[in-house]
Amino acid sequence: MSKVAVVYWSGTGNTAKMADEVVNGAKDAGAQTDLISAADFNADKAAAYDAIAFGCPAMGDEVLEESEFQPMFDDVKNSLGSKKVALFGSYGWGDGDWMRSWEDDCKNCGINLVTDSVICNEEPDEDGIASCQSLGKALA
């Protein structure tokens, strides 16, 4: 059984809803899962997981949340090379540029993104929920 962490930051609750659905998908596929806030995760904790889903909404000028999430991700990203990783998040404006930049950062660090990232405009709809569950299954 694989061990999956779903690590997220959410300001309005939309990315939190997505995180719950990623957990549901991973559990349905038989994985042991932990839902963890970005403030409670670090490189030492990352070592305990086979796969990690990271979720963060677009903030400001389409960037990751800068006070908790970005510092945490900067701390862990160089320890993720051998793990299965997936990204998800919500946005309310723009066209997803924050996610493309985040994916590029991951690729430049040698991170193995195992599935397409999931983005939802505002609250996840039925398709967004299904995509989050599929992301969780891909990590399991």
Side-chain angles (χ1 to χ4, degrees), residues 4-132:
V4 177
V6 179
V7 181
Y8 74 98
W9 185 92
S10 186
T12 63
N14 295 333
T15 301
K17 289 177 186 176
M18 295 176 76
D20 289 338
E21 295 303 332
V22 173
V23 167
N24 290 339
K27 282 184 178 178
D28 287 348
Q32 176 187 341
T33 63
D34 292 321
L35 184 63
I36 307 168
S37 71
D40 295 327
F41 198 73
N42 58 42
D44 290 338
K45 290 183 180 180
Y49 295 93
D50 303 304
I52 305 171
F54 290 98
C56 186
M59 301 295 289
D61 190 23
E62 288 208 63
V63 296
L64 296 174
E65 191 280 326
E66 297 173 299
S67 65
E68 287 182 25
F69 193 89
Q70 184 72 60
M72 175 278 302
F73 193 73
D74 288 342
D75 177 55
V76 302
K77 68 183 177 185
N78 290 322
S79 63
L80 300 175
S82 64
K83 300 186 182 303
K84 296 192 295 185
V85 175
L87 309 177
F88 65 94
S90 61
Y91 67 101
W93 62 90
D95 67 353
D97 189 47
W98 104 101
M99 184 60 71
R100 289 187 296 276
S101 296
W102 192 10
E103 290 169 339
D104 289 344
D105 184 30
C106 289
K107 290 172 187 168
N108 291 336
C109 291
I111 295 171
N112 177 27
L113 296 176
V114 297
T115 187
D116 290 339
S117 300
V118 176
I119 62 173
C120 293
N121 188 322
E122 304 293 346
E123 184 173 355
D125 59 12
E126 271 186 42
D127 290 338
I129 289 169
S131 294
C132 289

